[in-house]
């Protein structure tokens, strides 16, 4: 029962429009820093582009997808009209205004601080205020998801909350809490300086606040993808969810352990001691657990579909899968990229191995493979799956959709594998250009060229994606029926309270954040003499 | 066997397989954490353990990072200490000279924004955060030149911030160190 289709479409269209812009900037960056591009005469332009690319891809695009998808889940899984539609539109417009407000100073070269802010570098005040508006807009969504679930519970006392909604609300709580880190950094530290009220800032403390956001935000981006794995893929390919309770356990594990691990981003930093670095490293290992559980459950669910289609043998069933179904294709690509990206992630989180690749192109390769690859390819799949229900029209370009998914997969591999390689060779991140004339850097020229070609394959695929959706708005009318989610082999009628509510897990998430972040933050905040002069962007 | 029995036995099979996988996953994860703990304690391979602070607006006036104290120094016990600073957009010294096969302590900080030191072909890799002192232990097994780029965005000139490390013969380094002072590639 999708009633507020316009609301959901608005979120998706704005998300994909800004995604298209940021993707184009990304491809330009790949080109200009490769040997096939000419040496950039003004590297400052590169960092404007990089700040815009990161800000859009990190804060605006995935947030809007999660919100639009969240509203769709709330209406269709709960079979209940969205409560608070006006507020939802308010949130949407806050994000639109915030994005524009942030992008103007970036375009003017007044906020080239990258989406990770990097104080004591300080950019234009309106950049930060724009980001704050985006976050505030998304918090309205968090509140609405919680309220809608509460309304449904009142009408269905004791009933099992549909898996899609249970996971969706878990994702929204994770976002609400993980955004607090960056919010504290912005409100307590950066904005007072950007507004001219102060001129010093504790850069070390700011990095810890940001690490609070920086890791779990990835799991917020991941949530729509995992929801699609569990609740869309099995239905789309004619299978069933192997286990409803394992799915719930995976989502609550994300909620609890995605948070208290961010200090692994600061292994190489001087402002945190070894003890907390080790604790965060060990907790990061834990976050592999829900993913390992998910890989098992989804493979088992897919196998059910294959066997129902007559698949036989230990591995023979793989051939029986509906490979011409875009959802099947997207899932397979997503899993391959998740496998490689996840293996890289285990290296990054390792207390010792991290030193070999910290802040090299390996890291760029890693998160593009995970986010741009495994996660975003499922955003495409979600859009394709929802589109007929949102537009009331059929998506007829199935061949084109398959080509688009193939290109995205190939493009992402061609981009990120050479990145990983040059990262091992020690090529640093965030460079506007490289002196390929240096004999020590020259051998990396070929790899960087391959990455740039990959960037253009991705751009082609991204354009195709937008064209397919745009054509879908004008396709012949066709009633798609009610939007449904996958059912489990043993569909639960009642679920243990712990797996049907979030309170316990939210409490645990907050408690673990306090134990793992409380001491480092307090310690840094009370250490005297660590505030350093701000360096204003554009003032040099 | 009734349909009901088949159903409940299949539930049991499913749960059993699932549980086995969960146990394997937990074993893998605890194994990794234990390995990291073992290597950290036994081989002393771990990130910087201690936190030290310094005031970047005064480092050029007094303390261990004044200009005359930057560079490499041969300690009484035969080890070498290297002191360096990063600032927009260069390292001082821009070219660090050290002996081969010698335990070296790198102590560095930033004079302005966040920078990073990475020595290519090694796992020497640390952030320079203004206000804090970074310390890294290192040892080079081969003589030669190594590139040392800044690995963290430090504003528009970041791409141009590349330093160098020159690893030279032990005797040659000892010879140069005799005259005292702080060594860098300058004068070689």
């Amino acid at each position: 029962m999708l009633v507020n289709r316009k609301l959901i479409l608005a979120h998706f269209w704005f998300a994909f429009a800004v995604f298209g812009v940021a993707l184009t900037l990304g491809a330009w960056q790949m080109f200009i820093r490769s040997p096939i591009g000419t040496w950039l005469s003004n590297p400052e332009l590169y960092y404007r582009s990089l700040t815009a690319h990161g800000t859009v891809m990190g804060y605006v695009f995935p947030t809007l997808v999660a919100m639009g998808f969240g509203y769709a889940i709330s209406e269709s899984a709960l079979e209940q009209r969205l409560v608070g539609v006006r507020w939802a539109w308010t949130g949407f417009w806050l994000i639109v205004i915030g994005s524009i407000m942030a992008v103007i100073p970036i375009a003017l070269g007044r906020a080239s601080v990258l989406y990770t802010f990097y104080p004591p570098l300080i950019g234009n005040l309106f950049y930060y205020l724009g980001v704050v508006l985006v976050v505030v807009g998304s918090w309205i969504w968090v509140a609405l998801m919680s309220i809608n679930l509460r309304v449904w519970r009142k009408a269905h006392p004791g009933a099992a909350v549909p898996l899609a909604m249970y996971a969706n609300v878990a994702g929204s709580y994770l976002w609400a809490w993980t955004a607090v880190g960056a919010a504290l950094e912005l409100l307590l530290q950066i904005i007072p300086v950007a507004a001219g009220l102060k001129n010093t800032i504790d850069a070390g403390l700011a990095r810890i606040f940001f690490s609070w956001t920086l890791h779990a935000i990835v799991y917020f981006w991941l949530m729509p993808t995992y929801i699609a794995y569990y609740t869309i893929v099995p239905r789309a390919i004619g299978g069933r969810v192997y286990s409803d309770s394992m799915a719930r356990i995976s989502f609550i594990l994300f909620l609890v352990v995605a948070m208290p691990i961010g200090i692994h981003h600061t292994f190489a930093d001087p402002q945190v001691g070894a003890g907390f670095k080790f604790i965060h490293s060990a907790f990061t290992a834990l976050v592999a657990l829900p993913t390992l559980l998910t890989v098992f459950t989804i493979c088992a669910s897919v196998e059910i579909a294959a066997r129902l289609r007559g698949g036989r043998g230990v591995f023979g069933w793989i051939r029986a899968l509906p490979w011409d179904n875009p959802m099947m294709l997207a899932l397979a690509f997503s899993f391959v990229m998740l496998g490689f990206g996840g293996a890289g992630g285990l290296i990054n989180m390792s207390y010792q191995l991290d030193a070999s690749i910290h802040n090299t192109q390996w890291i760029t390769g890693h998160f593009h493979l995970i986010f741009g690859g495994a996660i975003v390819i499922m955003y495409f799949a979600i859009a394709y799956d929802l589109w007929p229900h949102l537009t009331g029209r059929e998506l007829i370009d199935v061949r084109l959709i398959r080509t688009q998914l193939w290109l995205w997969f190939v493009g992402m591999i061609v981009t990120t594998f050479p990145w990983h390689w040059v990262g091992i060779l020690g090529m640093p991140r965030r460079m506007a250009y490289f002196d390929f004339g240096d004999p020590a850097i020259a051998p990396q020229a070929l790899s960087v060229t391959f990455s740039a070609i990959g960037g253009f394959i991705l751009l082609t695929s991204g354009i195709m994606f937008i064209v397919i959706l745009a054509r879908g708005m004008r396709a012949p009318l066709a009633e798609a029926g009610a939007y449904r989610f996958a059912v489990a082999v043993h569909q639960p009628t009642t679920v243990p309270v712990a797996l049907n509510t979030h309170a316990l897990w939210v409490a645990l998430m907050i408690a673990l954040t306090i134990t793992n972040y409380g001491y480092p933050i307090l310690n840094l905040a009370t250490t005297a003499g660590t505030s350093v002069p701000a360096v204003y962007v554009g003032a040099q | 066997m009734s349909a009901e029995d088949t159903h409940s036995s299949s539930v049991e099979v499913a749960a059993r397989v699932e549980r086995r996988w969960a146990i394997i996953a937990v074993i893998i994860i605890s194994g990794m954490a234990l390995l990291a703990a073992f290597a950290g304690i036994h081989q002393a391979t771990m990130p910087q353990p201690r936190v030290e602070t310094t005031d970047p607006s005064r480092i050029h006036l007094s303390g261990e990072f004044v200009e005359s104290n930057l560079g490499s120094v041969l300690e009484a016990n035969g080890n070498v200490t290297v002191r360096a600073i990063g600032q927009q957009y260069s390292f001082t010294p821009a070219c660090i000279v050290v002996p081969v096969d010698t335990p070296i302590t790198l102590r560095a900080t930033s004079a302005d924004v966040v920078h990073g030191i990475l020595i290519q072909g090694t796992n020497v890799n640390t952030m320079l955060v203004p206000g804090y002192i970074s310390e890294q232990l290192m040892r080079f097994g081969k003589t030669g030149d190594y590139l040392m780029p800044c690995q963290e965005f430090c504003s528009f000139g970041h791409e141009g911030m590349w330093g160098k490390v020159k690893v030279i013969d032990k005797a040659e380094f000892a010879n140069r160190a005799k005259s005292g002072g702080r060594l860098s590639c300058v004068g070689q």
Side-chain angles (χ1 to χ4, degrees), chain B residues 10-25:
Chain B
S10 79
V11 171
E12 266 169 40
V13 172
R16 195 165 60 233
V17 177
E18 210 167 55
R19 208 160 40 234
R20 261 189 222 148
W21 173 254
I23 291 168
I24 293 171

Side-chain angles (χ1 to χ4, degrees), chain B:
Chain B
M1 209 157 73
S2 70
E4 186 75 346
D5 287 342
T6 337
H7 183 79
S8 63
S9 76
S10 79
V11 171
E12 266 169 40
V13 172
R16 195 165 60 233
V17 177
E18 210 167 55
R19 208 160 40 234
R20 261 189 222 148
W21 173 254
I23 291 168
I24 293 171
V26 169
I27 290 172
I28 293 173
I29 286 158
S30 346
M32 282 191 313
L34 285 175
L35 214 63
F38 174 78
I41 296 162
H42 183 71
Q43 302 170 326
T45 50
M46 53 173 95
Q48 175 168 358
R50 276 189 314 147
V51 178
E52 286 179 81
T53 60
T54 179
D55 179 357
S57 56
R58 300 191 56 80
I59 51 172
H60 60 297
L61 300 172
S62 63
E64 71 169 299
F65 293 102
V66 293
E67 200 174 346
S68 59
N69 201 37
L70 298 177
S72 314
V73 59
L74 187 59
E75 305 287 358
N77 61 2
N79 293 358
V80 168
T81 304
V82 179
R83 289 189 181 79
I85 57 168
Q87 58 201 322
Q88 289 175 327
Y89 298 102
S90 64
F91 294 106
T92 309
C95 178
I96 291 170
V97 67
V98 288
V100 74
D101 289 329
T102 308
I104 302 163
T105 306
L106 170 69
R107 287 176 64 77
T109 188
S110 163
D112 42 41
V113 299
V114 178
H115 299 280
I117 281 186
L118 177 160
I119 302 178
Q120 291 193 341
T122 73
N123 56 2
V124 177
N125 197 338
T126 186
M127 303 300 304
L128 306 182
V129 179
Y132 300 89
I133 298 172
S134 303
E135 190 174 285
Q136 282 256 295
L137 303 177
M138 54 192 195
R139 185 189 188 107
F140 293 87
K142 269 194 295 188
T143 57
D145 288 357
Y146 296 77
L147 285 180
M148 185 180 76
C150 171
Q151 41 83 328
E152 187 58 283
F153 175 69
C154 52
S155 202
F156 312 146
H158 169 56
E159 70 287 331
M161 189 166 167
W162 291 70
K164 237 181 206 173
V165 177
K166 209 178 230 330
V167 181
I168 61 173
D169 188 63
K170 254 180 139 160
E172 195 189 339
F173 185 88
N175 197 32
R176 284 194 57 198
K178 256 191 236 156
S179 48
R182 304 292 176 256
L183 301 183
S184 72
C185 301
V186 177
Q188 203 179 20

Side-chain angles (χ1 to χ4, degrees), chain A residues 80-317:
Chain A
Q80 165 188 299
R81 268 184 95 107
L82 188 71
V83 178
V85 178
R86 265 201 206 160
W87 280 103
W89 278 110
T90 311
F92 173 76
W93 285 111
L94 279 177
I95 291 182
V96 174
I97 295 167
S99 309
I100 295 168
M101 197 194 262
V103 158
I104 292 172
I106 296 175
L108 295 174
R110 292 288 166 171
S112 302
V113 293
L114 311 194
Y115 88 106
T116 35
F117 305 144
Y118 289 133
L121 283 176
I122 296 292
N124 184 283
L125 174 66
F126 288 95
Y127 169 67
Y128 305 113
L129 292 180
V131 173
V132 169
L133 281 190
V134 170
V135 173
V136 171
S138 69
W139 279 347
I140 293 180
W141 166 74
V142 174
L144 286 179
M145 289 300 96
S146 179
I147 290 166
N148 276 277
L149 181 57
R150 187 163 303 179
V151 170
W152 184 86
R153 272 192 216 278
K154 267 207 184 131
H156 305 79
V161 176
L163 176 60
M165 189 61 181
Y166 185 73
N168 176 38
V169 173
S172 77
Y173 289 155
L174 178 64
W175 170 239
W177 183 242
T178 193
V180 169
L184 289 172
E185 183 194 6
L186 284 171
L187 300 177
L188 299 179
Q189 297 193 282
I190 294 178
I191 288 178
V193 181
L197 303 172
K198 273 175 70 185
N199 55 17
T200 60
I201 190 163
D202 189 331
L205 177 60
R207 289 174 70 79
I208 298 307
F209 276 139
F210 197 76
S211 81
W212 166 328
T213 294
L214 188 53
H215 203 72
I217 195 174
V218 182
Y219 289 92
F220 165 61
W221 300 338
L222 195 72
M223 280 295 185
T225 292
Y226 271 54
I227 294 172
Y229 286 168
Y230 280 106
T231 69
I232 297 181
V233 172
R235 184 260 293 145
I237 65 168
R240 292 197 153 209
V241 182
Y242 184 76
S243 163
D244 180 84
S245 27
M246 202 48 119
R248 285 168 199 262
I249 290 171
S250 296
F251 283 109
I252 53 169
L253 277 174
F254 275 128
L255 186 59
V256 175
V257 295
M259 251 321 295
I261 64 178
I263 285 181
H264 72 237
H265 287 262
T266 64
F267 278 160
D269 278 29
Q271 78 277 17
V272 194
F276 274 94
K277 285 177 181 166
F278 183 76
I279 291 172
H280 280 245
S281 177
F283 270 90
T284 316
L286 265 184
V287 92
L289 185 61
T291 293
L292 288 172
L293 296 178
T294 299
V295 169
F296 175 83
T297 306
I298 300 304
C299 287
S301 310
V302 167
E303 185 182 343
I304 292 171
R307 297 216 183 270
L308 286 174
R309 293 165 60 91
R312 294 272 173 277
V314 179
F315 292 108
W317 57 270

Side-chain angles (χ1 to χ4, degrees), chain A residues 44-60:
Chain A
E44 194 255 320
L45 293 175
Y46 181 86
Y47 296 109
R48 292 186 198 188
S49 177
L50 187 54
T51 306
H53 178 81
T55 304
V56 167
M57 295 298 205
Y59 299 136
V60 185

